[in-house]
Amino acid sequence: VFDYFGVIESLEGNYEKAVLEIEKSGLRGRGGAGFPFHLKVKASRDTEASQKYIVCNADEGDPGAFSDKWLLEERPHSVLLGMLVTGLITGADTGIIYLRGEYPLAVARMKEAIKQLEDEGIIGKIRGDSVYLFSFLVVIGSGAYICGEETSLLNSIEGLRPEVRTRPPFPAVSGLFGRPTVVSNVETFANLRFILDKGGEVYASMGTERSPGTKLVSLDSAFNRPGLYEVRMGTPLKYVFNEMGGGTRVPVRAYQVGGPLGGLVPASMTDKLTLDFESFSNAGFLLGHAGVVSIPEKFPVIEFLFHLFDFARKESCGKCFPCRLGTSKGCELLSLTMNSGKKIDRKLFLDLLETMELGSLCALGGGLPLPVKNAMWYFKDELEKYFSDNK
């Protein structure tokens, strides 16, 4: 069984030391947004409440992403340790793993790992002579993509309709059942083991100043060596694709990185980017969870755009108008130009994207315009025939 006692006893009951090491590490959420993890922990710790929770977002629903799957199946104790330490710091006594139902082996491995903790008497004996009760619960998702959004996920756990909550308040202050809740993804929690064992500064030294540490990268089957790679932040993207992934088996025109809401990186840009949050953001893309889906050279960009809108339309929770109506309108406009040749009013289309970006409650509607705008900029010659500039 994983050495929980060794890692936790090294803190000597000083959980402020753990917070300091996490802050030194600069660990940012690995689920997409890249929010500093220590800020969530501090906010939950400093909020007075009789009950607090730790929630692991393991609802990995983005096409092309399988890093969480591997961690849950092969390193379940690293994930559980991260959740447990976060609970010790904040005063939470319950950890909930919201796990994608399409990962049956991951569900079995996590439940097995939790039972090991119970059988070994690890849970409930963390603080030496005094008892610290901590329990884990695995909740299996039912396939709703929107449940990957943290507040929809919390609603789902509560048995409510899985739709986005308005924020503030943020989950760290008022989350599950209205209690302070640290919600983070699988890879984020798994990183805490190394940080507490080797120190935050060692972890930070492996990346860049603003994107410390390492990142798991999922390369799809278009690569000659597809699979999961752990990469130091700041590594040239071209090296990741060509040296680690072995290049692609077929000609590729672009890569969508970070899921359906991630940026669309043209092949010509791969030698200009490094794998970190800032490099992607500064170039107008999004690193997200770093799952890579390759777009073949022969795949029409207009069909790709329709696919994005159609995906978001089907997966929208429907709570806010910009997402619910915007995704349907986008599908309507794109379908019309693809099937009847009727051109789209460019200004109307850009206004639609702006409304979704500024008005949507979460990243499903708010994030969709990013890859669409990337496509319209880098493949404007190909898309020109589908748009008109009506005055």
Side-chain angles (χ1 to χ4, degrees), residues 15 38 45 60 75-76 126 157 174 179 188 217 245 260 312 320 345:
Y15 302 119
H38 74 275
R45 178 200 61 184
E60 185 175 54
R75 299 292 185 271
I126 298 301
I157 295 174
S174 179
R179 306 290 183 165
T188 310
V217 179
C320 68
D345 185 318

Side-chain angles (χ1 to χ4, degrees), residues 241-254:
F241 286 178
N242 294 340
E243 300 302 320
M244 302 177 81
T248 56
R249 296 182 293 103
V250 295
V252 170
R253 66 189 325 184

Side-chain angles (χ1 to χ4, degrees), residues 175-189:
L176 189 63
F177 301 110
R179 306 290 183 165
T181 306
V182 175
V183 185
S184 204
N185 95 310
V186 174
E187 187 180 347
T188 310
F189 283 119

Side-chain angles (χ1 to χ4, degrees), residues 167-332:
R167 289 164 289 188
F170 293 94
V173 174
S174 179
L176 189 63
F177 301 110
R179 306 290 183 165
T181 306
V182 175
V183 185
S184 204
N185 95 310
V186 174
E187 187 180 347
T188 310
F189 283 119
N191 271 285
L192 295 184
R193 173 188 175 184
F194 182 92
I195 291 169
L196 297 178
D197 185 30
K198 304 297 183 183
E201 292 181 355
V202 175
Y203 180 86
S205 69
M206 292 190 292
T208 68
E209 182 179 356
R210 297 182 62 191
S211 295
T214 64
K215 181 75 189 74
L216 292 176
V217 179
S218 306
L219 299 183
D220 72 358
S221 60
F223 288 88
N224 286 302
R225 290 194 291 271
L228 189 66
Y229 295 86
E230 185 173 16
V231 180
R232 289 173 181 256
M233 287 286 203
T235 301
L237 188 63
K238 188 173 183 179
Y239 178 86
V240 177
F241 286 178
N242 294 340
E243 300 302 320
M244 302 177 81
T248 56
R249 296 182 293 103
V250 295
V252 170
R253 66 189 325 184
Y255 304 90
Q256 188 165 31
V257 183
L261 311 178
L264 183 67
V265 181
S268 60
M269 286 290 292
T270 56
D271 59 348
K272 300 177 178 66
L273 296 171
T274 54
L275 197 129
D276 56 80
F277 293 113
E278 280 64 47
S279 177
F280 271 67
S281 177
N282 292 338
F285 306 116
L286 179 73
L287 177 62
H289 56 61
V292 179
V293 173
S294 305
I295 312 299
E297 186 66 50
K298 295 182 179 180
F299 193 82
V301 176
I302 193 71
E303 289 187 27
F304 175 75
L305 295 184
F306 177 81
H307 171 75
L308 290 179
F309 273 95
D310 189 45
F311 178 87
R313 177 181 63 84
K314 291 175 180 175
E315 298 295 346
S316 173
C317 75
K319 182 169 184 176
C320 68
F321 286 172
C323 179
R324 186 176 78 214
L325 301 181
T327 53
S328 293
K329 185 62 176 178
C331 284
E332 177 187 329

